[in-house]
């Protein structure tokens, strides 16, 4: 079945790596997500056509969060050796505030395909973002 699992990869975007939260670190398993319907399953993994919208993704955090918490969903490629993931881009609103520990994403689509990324598979990563000082930091993530 299609499921998200906790991860500790460092998320890199075109602006560089997202900083990790230092003051509040929710325990693993505190962030969960489910899709309205799973993508089609193949022997090599899951598939979704670039031009199709992703199913609605509902996100929930089961621990109390500080004010200003948000969730970021990204399409990423994974580099296991460097323990990093690289944002490949999503079309649509991929950053939502958490209201009572919950949010949802709809009308998202991939900006590219695995073919254009030299065959690297794309993964969906959801990051719990916490405000520290005047910036958002990654508190925990699932992929």
């Amino acid at each position: 079945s299609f499921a998200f699992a906790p991860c500790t990869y460092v998320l890199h975007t075109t602006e560089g790596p997202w900083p990790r939260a230092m003051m509040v670190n929710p325990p693993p398993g505190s962030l969960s997500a489910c899709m309205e319907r799973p993508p089609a399953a193949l022997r090599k993994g899951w598939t979704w056509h670039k031009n199709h919208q992703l199913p609605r993704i509902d996100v929930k955090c089961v621990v109390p969060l500080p004010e200003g918490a948000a969730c970021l969903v990204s399409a990423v490629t994974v580099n296991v050796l460097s323990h990093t993931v690289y944002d490949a881009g999503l079309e649509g609103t991929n950053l939502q505030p958490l209201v009572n520990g919950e949010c949802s994403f709809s009308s998202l689509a991939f900006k590219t395909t695995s073919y254009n990324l030299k065959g690297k598979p794309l993964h969906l990563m959801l990051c719990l973002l916490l405000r520290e000082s005047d910036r958002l930091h990654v508190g925990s993530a699932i992929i």
Side-chain angles (χ1 to χ4, degrees):
S1 72
F2 185 83
F4 291 92
C7 71
T8 58
Y9 291 116
V10 176
L11 175 61
H12 282 256
T13 65
T14 54
E15 289 126 26
W18 271 86
R20 300 294 291 182
M22 302 302 282
M23 297 170 23
V24 178
N25 283 311
S30 58
L31 185 66
S32 64
C34 65
M35 292 181 104
E36 183 177 51
R37 66 183 186 284
L42 298 174
R43 283 185 309 152
K44 293 181 180 181
W46 305 95
T47 183
W48 203 263
H49 193 275
K50 175 185 167 193
N51 294 332
H52 292 172
Q53 287 185 348
L54 292 169
R56 177 186 168 103
I57 302 170
D58 293 313
V59 180
K60 185 174 186 175
C61 188
V62 296
V63 297
L65 296 171
E67 190 174 326
C71 185
L72 174 73
V73 61
S74 305
V76 298
T77 58
V78 177
N79 184 325
V80 176
L81 293 176
S82 66
H83 201 70
T84 56
V85 293
Y86 296 92
D87 185 20
L90 284 173
E91 297 281 346
T93 303
N94 66 333
L95 176 64
Q96 295 282 355
L98 286 160
V99 178
N100 296 323
E102 298 183 9
C103 70
S104 62
F105 297 91
S106 59
S107 302
L108 295 175
F110 292 112
K111 281 188 177 179
T112 189
T113 64
S114 291
Y115 178 82
N116 293 330
L117 298 169
K118 299 180 182 174
K120 292 180 184 176
L122 286 169
H123 302 266
L124 286 176
M125 181 177 187
L126 290 99
C127 294
L128 172 62
L129 303 178
L130 305 171
R131 187 164 301 282
E132 289 185 1
S133 303
D134 60 346
R135 286 192 62 187
L136 289 172
H137 294 66
V138 176
S140 64
I142 54 178
I143 192 167

